Amino acid sequence: MKILALESSAETCSVALTDGHQDYIQIRHEPRQHAKMFLPLVQTVLDQAGFTLKDLDAIAFGRGPGSFTGLRICMSVVQGLAYGAEIPVIPISTLEGLAYSAQRNLLLPEGSTVVAGFDARMSEVYLGCFNVVNGTTVLHNAESVIGIEAAKEPASQLQLKTACFVGSAWKIEQLAEFSSPEMSDLSVTAEDILGLAKREFLNGNVMSVENAQPVYLRDDVAWEKRVRIRTENLV
């Protein structure tokens, strides 16, 4: 099992690789530098493992939700690498990656509920609810983008069930009561994407890069942003 993983849905750019026995991790926290950093980081982990791209069985990536720019950069790099090496890809939810990070770092017990959330800006948050099953995470309900005020009621109900709230969504003032600073500071990296990708690979869940797409959960906003940028460039 030789899998390369990439993640840049937020301000951190990270790459991880497994040779089936050992994992190689590179993480950089340099906002707005993802496009320049990805390929050098990929080459670093390949050199550490003694691999070339052709040796890989799959490339995993954080498919979103998250920063529109970060997701597009990651997707373009994955497409270039996968097309060139003719290898399949494994899209991984960044919300599940965050939940997996909590399970991995906090050693959450079997059956725990993890509510993963990112600040989506514009008074909204991205949320996903996961359960810890057999040492990994399983989606409990559909991922969604929801208004901050609207998130309070379901969060209150889950809080009564002693759910664990992780991610930047819970740093927002109106939602801060649901999480501690240690929990809200947790983030997803390529190491988490890689951990979940190993499970998916063993289950045969790979796809052609032609069929892989980022998941924004807010496609209408992404479209409006592209239209606005094009319009501004014409003025």
Side-chain angles (χ1 to χ4, degrees):
M1 186 196 307
K2 303 178 183 68
I3 303 173
L4 175 70
L6 291 80
E7 160 57 24
S8 64
S9 63
E11 293 186 342
T12 297
C13 178
S14 56
V15 172
L17 184 149
T18 185
D19 62 9
H21 303 284
Q22 182 176 347
D23 295 345
Y24 305 87
I25 316 293
Q26 291 289 318
I27 300 174
R28 299 289 185 275
H29 185 74
E30 295 185 32
R32 297 179 295 279
Q33 298 298 312
H34 300 345
K36 297 179 181 179
M37 301 186 65
F38 255 139
L39 291 180
L41 292 181
V42 167
Q43 192 60 56
T44 295
V45 295
L46 286 172
D47 290 344
Q48 289 174 335
F51 291 162
T52 68
L53 281 174
K54 289 285 188 178
D55 294 320
L56 299 177
D57 295 309
I59 299 177
F61 65 98
R63 51 85 165 157
S67 158
F68 297 126
T69 300
L71 295 178
R72 288 196 296 271
I73 290 172
C74 186
M75 188 75 252
S76 65
V77 173
V78 169
Q79 287 174 332
L81 296 175
Y83 274 124
E86 299 182 332
I87 51 180
V89 299
I90 307 174
I92 299 291
S93 161
T94 49
L95 284 169
E96 184 168 12
L98 180 58
Y100 183 78
S101 176
Q103 189 276 330
R104 181 173 62 85
N105 288 289
L106 305 175
L107 302 177
L108 299 176
E110 187 76 4
S112 296
T113 297
V114 185
V115 187
F118 297 129
D119 184 349
R121 311 300 179 187
M122 296 188 293
S123 299
E124 292 182 324
V125 291
Y126 299 120
L127 293 182
C129 187
F130 301 84
N131 291 333
V132 176
V133 180
N134 295 327
T136 187
T137 48
V138 177
L139 182 65
H140 177 70
N141 61 6
E143 299 176 343
S144 62
V145 58
I146 188 172
I148 291 173
E149 292 299 323
K152 287 184 178 181
E153 183 177 350
S156 296
Q157 294 173 356
L158 288 165
Q159 189 178 42
L160 295 175
K161 299 179 181 180
T162 64
C164 174
F165 296 81
V166 298
S168 60
W170 313 107
K171 288 184 176 182
I172 298 171
E173 183 178 358
Q174 299 95 312
L175 300 176
E177 65 183 279
F178 298 105
S179 187
S180 64
E182 311 88 73
M183 301 291 195
S184 59
D185 282 341
L186 276 177
S187 60
V188 56
T189 69
E191 185 174 6
D192 305 304
I193 300 301
L194 180 62
L196 292 169
K198 293 176 184 179
R199 177 194 70 191
E200 297 303 305
F201 182 81
L202 291 174
N203 290 332
N205 295 328
V206 301
M207 67 172 60
S208 168
V209 67
E210 290 93 341
N211 298 321
Q213 294 293 330
V215 173
Y216 297 115
L217 292 184
R218 200 160 61 185
D219 289 318
D220 56 335
V221 174
W223 172 252
E224 289 170 5
K225 183 177 181 181
R226 288 195 292 269
V227 171
R228 187 181 70 248
I229 290 172
R230 289 170 183 160
T231 303
E232 290 172 352
N233 287 339
L234 291 173
V235 176

